[in-house]
Amino acid sequence: MSTETDASTETKPDAAPDPQDKLRDGIARVVKHQDAQRLDDALQLLEELIDEFGEVAILLHYKGINGIMRGNQDEGMALIERAVDMAPDEPIIVCDYGAQLANSGRLDEAMEQFQTAAELAPNYAIARSNLGAAQVLKKEFQKAIANLKRAVELDGRLLDAHTNLGTAYMETNNFEQAVDVLFKALSINPLDGAIHTRLSAALYRRERHDTAEYHARRAIELLPQATEPYLHLGNALASAGRVDEAAEALLYASSRPPVGLPSLSRLIHLRKTKEDSPEFKIM
């Protein structure tokens, strides 16, 4: 009796692994090591990958980042620049190069790289986010808003994009939009004291004084050495008619940067200043 051979029972040789898949997996492991600050492990893996695949741009790129993270700034930047020269159309490499330029204080050059990365990959959220952040620093707020809005549309978990968008909205007096986006930022990281601080300022400008007070106090809990939350707390308390509490908060901030002057100004307008007043001595 003849039978039909079941193909599923035949022994077949395993398919050869795709080299590109192996390279991508290796890079993913490098990034995990770097994120966890296991820089020696990352470097060892990078050397193994370079031995196998050669000095391809993406490996030189991550080796350069690893070098910078280890404190070898010049050596690391040289490797990243080599990678950019080898792969000028690779948005990840271009964008990360821009980030390193920004970290080095070369903001104008960084913006050029972020712009290039965004043009190469219009849906690359990090490039849009970084470009918008640089534009906030350059006070190009309308341009920043456009890029940061696009970044959060593309990736709703980008914390920096949300916080920088909140800053851009505040600088353009769009306080309601700032409140909305900063609440979204808090949903990503509710323990970020800087976000509570910015949100308190935005809420105060929207005359939501009770909520502004809450977020200022939460910022103080999370950032006990910070002074800016005390300014926003003082503003919220003063607007609620709680003058003595407001004066206490404002007095604390009045002699401390970076909000000493606006805190002192608010305190002087809040109550009558006498020669024996603490704020008079600060003046």
Side-chain angles (χ1 to χ4, degrees), residues 11-17:
T11 301
K12 295 182 179 180
D14 292 336

Coordinates of all heavy atoms in Angstrom, one line a residue, residues 11-17:
T11 N 12.7 16.1 7.3 CA 13.8 16.9 8.0 C 14.3 17.9 7.0 O 14.7 17.5 5.9 CB 14.9 16.0 8.5 OG1 14.3 15.0 9.4 CG2 16.0 16.8 9.2
K12 N 14.3 19.2 7.4 CA 14.8 20.2 6.5 C 15.9 21.0 7.2 O 15.9 21.1 8.4 CB 13.7 21.2 6.1 CG 12.6 20.6 5.3 CD 11.5 21.7 5.0 CE 10.4 21.1 4.1 NZ 9.4 22.1 3.8
P13 N 16.9 21.4 6.4 CA 17.9 22.1 7.1 C 17.4 23.5 7.6 O 16.5 24.1 6.9 CB 19.0 22.3 5.9 CG 18.2 22.2 4.7 CD 17.1 21.2 5.0
D14 N 17.9 23.9 8.7 CA 17.5 25.2 9.2 C 17.9 26.3 8.2 O 19.0 26.3 7.6 CB 18.2 25.5 10.6 CG 17.7 24.6 11.7 OD1 16.5 24.1 11.5 OD2 18.4 24.3 12.6
A15 N 17.0 27.3 8.1 CA 17.3 28.4 7.2 C 18.5 29.2 7.8 O 18.6 29.4 9.0 CB 16.1 29.3 7.0
A16 N 19.4 29.7 7.0 CA 20.5 30.5 7.4 C 20.0 31.8 8.0 O 19.1 32.4 7.5 CB 21.4 30.8 6.3
P17 N 20.5 32.3 9.2 CA 20.0 33.5 9.8 C 20.4 34.7 8.9 O 21.4 34.7 8.2 CB 20.8 33.6 11.1 CG 22.0 32.7 10.9 CD 21.6 31.6 9.9

